[in-house]
Amino acid sequence: MFDWQPIETAPRDGSRIIVAMSDDFMQHQPWNSPGDEYCIFVRWVSQVGYWVDDYKIFVTDDEITHWAPAPVPPQATAHQRMRDAAAIAKHRADNV
């Protein structure tokens, strides 16, 4: 499904990518068991010189083995957009 590439070739322009974590990273995680794979989305933040995940946690190059472009999410349907607009309107009305 993903076209995995070595982390050394990953874009460092702030693009969101998916990365595969290293065995060294995995051995310190509570969910680790043989055969587990763990992938997260990250962006390169040049101001700090680190990858940052969606939770704003720093990830170093030695914790990552490979990367792939992040998949493009599907477009929302007209029904989903109407449902979301109604939910936002209700939230605003409830919190006035």
Side-chain angles (χ1 to χ4, degrees):
M1 177 176 178
F2 292 110
D3 183 21
W4 293 108
Q5 302 171 47
I7 191 58
E8 297 80 19
T9 65
R12 294 182 184 238
D13 61 1
S15 302
R16 189 168 184 251
I17 60 173
I18 189 167
V19 296
M21 305 308 287
S22 71
D23 288 338
D24 288 341
F25 176 83
M26 290 303 299
Q27 70 184 346
H28 300 292
Q29 305 309 312
W31 59 81
N32 186 36
S33 65
D36 273 0
E37 294 180 11
Y38 187 61
C39 299
I40 60 173
F41 291 98
V42 298
R43 297 175 194 272
W44 179 257
V45 179
S46 58
Q47 294 90 331
V48 295
Y50 283 98
W51 299 101
V52 177
D53 72 10
D54 289 346
Y55 299 102
K56 309 298 187 249
I57 297 173
F58 296 123
V59 181
T60 62
D61 278 344
D62 58 345
E63 294 174 323
I64 303 170
T65 61
H66 292 79
W67 77 279
V72 177
Q75 293 292 322
T77 65
H79 174 75
Q80 289 168 323
R81 288 192 299 274
M82 288 187 328
R83 183 194 63 211
D84 293 348
I88 290 168
K90 181 179 180 339
H91 175 75
R92 287 181 178 155
D94 290 347
N95 292 293
V96 172

